[in-house]
Amino acid sequence: MINMITTILYALLAVVSLAYLADYLLAWNDDPKEPPRLRARIPLIGHLIGIIVSGPSYHSVIRNDETTEIYTLGILNYKLYTSVSTRLLPLIQRQSRALSFRPMIQTVARKWGDANDETDRLFRETDLITEFSHVMKTSLAPGPQLDEMNMRMAQRALVDLDLLLGDGKDKKIKLLEWARFAITQASSCGVYGNQHPFLDDKVYEAFWAWHAHLSAHISGINFDILSHGYHARAVVFAAHAKYCTSIPPDTSSLFLSRWQCLLSSGLSVSEASKQQATLPIGMLSNTVPTFFWTIYEIFSRPALLSSIRSEILTFAITTSGPRHILNLTNLKTSCPLLLSTFQETQRTRHIHAAIRKVTTNTLLDSGKVLLKEGNYLQMPGHAIHYSQSIYGPTARDFVPERFMDPNLKRGGADFLAWGAPPHLCPARQFAATEILILVAMLVVRTDIHPAEGAEWEEKPGLEFADPVTVLNPKRDVEVVVRVRGEKEGRWEVEMGDGSRASRVPLASG
Ligand code: HEM
C-alpha cells in the first residue's frame, strides 16, 4: 500500500515537473519584442483555468500594474496576446488584415452554421465575408430601412407589454425568462417580419436550448453525449429552411440582403438557410442580458427610477384621454438620463474580449511590439471599462449620470460595449432603440420588486458559460410587476419629427 502511494506521488511529481519544464521551454523561444509573459501558478493551463473560474475579471486579477499595456498569456503551445491599452487599440485596428476577425467568422459559419466543405471554402477563399459584412452595415444604418424594422419591433413590444399588463393585475414573473421572450418576439418581428419562425413555441424553445450549447459547440469541448444541442439546432435549421422557401414581403432588408449575398456568393439554398439560422444568435444573445441588467439597475434604485420616469413622461410621452403615445425620436434624443444609465449598465457589465488571429508576423507601436503569426490577440473591454486612468476614481462604481457629463468625451477606444471599428456592431442602433423602448415602457407603466419581499441582490451570481458580451445572471430573479394605475389605457408608438435622421447618440458613435 505504502509502495503504491509512493509510486503515485513520484508519478505526480514527474508530471508537474514536466509541465513546468514544458512551460519554460515554450517561453525560451520568445522574441524580446513579444509582449512579456505573465506566469500562471499552474503551468500550461493555468490561464485557461483562471479565465474559466474568474471570468472577465481574470485580466484585472493577473495584471500586476496599471502601466502594462500588452502581455502574453501562454496556454499550452499557444500565445494569447492580451492588449488592455486604449493607446494600442487604434494601431491594432489599422492592421485589421494581419490581426484578423475573419477566422472567427469562418469558425462561426462552420461550427454553428454547419458549413459543408464547399461553403467553408467560399467563406475562406472568396470575398463573401467582406460582402456579407458590408450588406449588414448598409441595411442596419439609420434610414428608412431601419425605421421600418424599428416600427415592427416597437409594435410587437407593445403587444407583449399589453399581454403582461393589460388586465391591470399584479404579475409574478421570472425577469430573465420574460426578457428573453419579449426581446425574441420584438427583435424577430423587426428582422424577419411579423410571421417569424419564433412564433412557434417549439422553435423558440429549441433556439434557447441550442443557445445553451453554443460555447461547447464552438470550443469542441462538448460533454453533451446525447447531442441535445445539435438536435435543438436541427429544429432551428428546419424552421429557417421553411421560412426561406417563401420569405415574406415584410422581411427586413437585413435578412434579405444577407440571403441574396449568400446565394450570389455560390452557397446552395440549404447551406444559405443554415447560415441564416445563425443570425438570431447575434440578434438575441447580447440584447437579452443588456435589457435585463438595465431593468435591474434602474428598478433597484428608487431615486433613479423616479428621475428617469419623470424624464420620459416629460419628453417622450404625450397623453390625450386614454391614449398614450411614445415618441421614438424624443425617446432616443431627449432622455439623457435614461440613455446614460443604459450606457453605464453596458460599461459596467461588459465582459467581451474581442479576439483576432495573427495571420502574419506583425509589428505594432513603431516596431516596438511583435506579434507572431498563428497566435491570437485579445482585447478585453472589461479591463478598459474599469481602468481608473480612463474613468477616474469612480471607475468601479455605477454612476448613472456618467455619460451625461459634457466634458467627458467617451467613445472610440474607451467604450467598447459595441466593439470597435472596423467591427463595431452594425446593429447597435436597432438594439439600443429596442432596449430603450422596452425599458421606458416598464419604467412608466410599472413598479417592479423582487417577489416574496426579497431585496434586489447587490451582486447576483453570473453565468460564465454563455458566449455573450454581457453575462446573464446565474439564477433567474422572480419579481412582482405592479401596474401603475395612472398609466393604464391604450399605448401607441410614433416615429416623431425628423425620425428618419434621428439616431440614438451612443458614446460609441
Ligand atoms: C445589446 C445588444 C448587442 C451588443 C452589446 C452587441 C455587441 C457586439 C460587439 C461587441 C460586436 C463586435 C465583436 C468583436 O469585435 O469581436 C458585435 C458585432 C456584431 N453584431 Fe452585435 N451586439 C448587439 C446586438 C446585435 C444585434 C441585435 C444584431 C443583429 C440583428 C447584431 C449583429 C452583429 C454582427 C453581424 C456583428 C459582426 C460585425 C462584423 O462582422 O464586423 N448585434 N456586436
Side-chain angles (χ1 to χ4, degrees):
M1 183 66 178
I2 291 182
N3 272 354
M4 202 171 89
I5 294 172
T6 316
T7 313
I8 292 172
L9 283 177
Y10 274 125
L12 275 176
L13 196 65
V15 170
V16 171
S17 309
L18 273 175
Y20 274 103
L21 182 66
D23 206 38
Y24 180 75
L25 289 177
L26 284 168
W28 184 260
N29 260 343
D30 286 354
D31 190 287
K33 284 189 174 172
E34 284 186 89
R37 278 183 188 249
L38 294 193
R39 293 280 175 190
R41 283 209 194 101
I42 303 170
L44 299 178
I45 52 167
H47 291 307
L48 189 63
I49 295 173
I51 291 168
I52 292 170
V53 173
S54 305
S57 55
Y58 184 65
H59 303 290
S60 310
V61 174
I62 180 109
R63 200 169 155 214
N64 34 24
D65 67 287
E66 269 244 350
T67 54
T68 313
E69 292 188 287
I70 184 163
Y71 50 87
T72 301
L73 304 181
I75 298 177
L76 298 170
N77 59 335
Y78 280 102
K79 293 171 191 174
L80 187 57
Y81 302 122
T82 303
S83 165
V84 286
S85 156
T86 48
R87 192 181 65 83
L88 291 180
L89 188 68
L91 311 180
I92 292 168
Q93 287 165 295
R94 255 178 252 147
Q95 307 247 28
S96 65
R97 275 188 181 275
L99 307 174
S100 175
F101 189 45
R102 294 171 74 97
M104 314 306 137
I105 301 177
Q106 289 153 8
T107 306
V108 163
R110 211 171 53 245
K111 301 267 179 121
W112 288 346
D114 191 34
N116 67 16
D117 289 348
E118 176 56 7
T119 301
D120 187 43
R121 187 189 69 75
L122 292 168
F123 267 90
R124 276 184 296 105
E125 294 177 11
T126 70
D127 266 349
L128 165 56
I129 291 183
T130 313
E131 199 42 40
F132 207 43
S133 288
H134 173 72
V135 297
M136 284 194 278
K137 266 186 205 148
T138 314
S139 56
L140 284 160
Q145 297 167 338
L146 182 61
D147 285 349
E148 271 177 44
M149 276 175 79
N150 280 343
M151 212 28 157
R152 270 196 311 275
M153 169 266 282
Q155 300 287 7
R156 175 66 209 209
L158 288 192
V159 169
D160 286 315
L161 286 159
D162 281 342
L163 279 174
L164 181 68
L165 313 173
D167 63 6
K169 293 188 182 139
D170 288 4
K171 296 280 157 42
K172 202 193 270 183
I173 57 165
K174 288 186 173 151
L175 190 54
L176 181 64
E177 188 179 278
W178 187 82
R180 212 171 243 188
F181 180 74
I183 294 284
T184 307
Q185 297 305 321
S187 306
S188 303
C189 283
V191 169
Y192 293 81
N194 289 330
Q195 295 309 311
H196 60 80
F198 301 104
L199 289 172
D200 182 340
D201 290 348
K202 283 202 199 75
V203 181
Y204 174 86
E205 296 298 339
F207 173 77
W208 287 107
W210 174 29
H211 196 272
H213 293 271
L214 287 176
S215 294
H217 289 182
I218 206 146
S219 66
I221 307 169
N222 190 4
F223 300 110
D224 179 18
I225 302 157
L226 298 177
S227 289
H228 288 303
Y230 287 116
H231 292 315
R233 182 177 74 172
V235 175
V236 181
F237 278 177
H240 280 74
K242 189 170 162 213
Y243 175 89
C244 290
T245 55
S246 166
I247 297 175
D250 67 344
T251 196
S252 64
S253 146
L254 168 67
F255 193 91
L256 203 58
S257 60
R258 278 173 53 110
W259 179 243
Q260 285 159 349
C261 173
L262 291 166
L263 294 183
S264 65
S265 300
L267 270 78
S268 67
V269 166
S270 65
E271 282 291 299
S273 80
K274 284 193 290 181
Q275 292 304 321
Q276 289 292 65
T278 62
L279 176 59
I281 300 173
M283 179 180 92
L284 302 172
S285 302
N286 302 319
T287 314
V288 171
T290 308
F291 170 53
F292 174 92
W293 291 116
T294 310
I295 294 293
Y296 201 97
E297 301 294 3
I298 294 176
F299 280 86
S300 57
R301 293 175 171 80
L304 177 65
L305 171 64
S306 158
S307 305
I308 294 182
R309 189 175 277 157
S310 63
E311 180 183 77
I312 298 167
L313 283 170
T314 309
F315 298 110
I317 286 169
T318 48
T319 292
S320 90
R323 273 180 83 207
H324 309 286
I325 302 166
L326 174 68
N327 181 302
L328 290 193
T329 300
N330 292 348
L331 178 71
K332 289 181 202 174
T333 56
S334 308
C335 296
L337 182 58
L338 170 66
L339 179 58
S340 176
T341 306
F342 163 59
Q343 298 191 103
E344 181 69 346
T345 306
Q346 291 192 292
R347 185 188 73 86
T348 49
R349 294 270 166 195
H350 180 80
I351 54 93
H352 181 62
I355 298 193
R356 306 292 180 250
K357 185 160 187 187
V358 185
T359 59
T360 178
N361 282 355
T362 304
L363 285 167
L364 283 178
D365 202 11
S366 314
K368 288 201 260 319
V369 178
L370 170 68
L371 306 181
K372 278 198 184 163
E373 178 180 342
N375 295 303
Y376 290 87
L377 165 68
Q378 65 163 347
M379 294 158 275
H382 183 272
I384 287 175
H385 285 187
Y386 276 79
S387 161
Q388 296 204 348
S389 59
I390 299 169
Y391 284 98
T394 60
R396 304 203 143 263
D397 305 334
F398 187 90
V399 181
E401 307 79 11
R402 186 186 303 276
F403 287 86
M404 292 167 77
D405 181 350
N407 301 316
L408 186 97
K409 178 80 192 82
R410 289 291 160 236
D414 296 351
F415 183 67
L416 299 172
W418 305 100
H423 298 290
L424 200 53
C425 179
R428 60 198 183 283
Q429 287 291 329
F430 176 69
T433 305
E434 179 171 8
I435 292 171
L436 292 180
I437 291 173
L438 278 160
V439 170
M441 288 289 86
L442 287 173
V443 163
V444 169
R445 296 174 65 180
T446 72
D447 279 308
I448 302 179
H449 301 284
E452 322 296 358
E455 295 295 318
W456 295 98
E457 231 182 296
E458 207 172 310
K459 285 199 170 141
L462 299 169
E463 175 57 68
F464 288 139
D466 297 330
V468 287
T469 63
V470 169
L471 295 173
N472 285 294
K474 197 156 191 63
R475 277 186 304 116
D476 207 340
V477 182
E478 216 169 58
V479 294
V480 174
V481 180
R482 178 154 301 156
V483 181
R484 298 179 68 237
E486 61 270 42
K487 288 296 160 204
E488 283 190 75
R490 203 170 81 229
W491 279 87
E492 297 167 24
V493 280
E494 66 182 14
M495 273 293 175
D497 291 340
S499 66
R500 291 192 185 283
S502 87
R503 59 176 79 205
V504 186
L506 298 170
S508 58

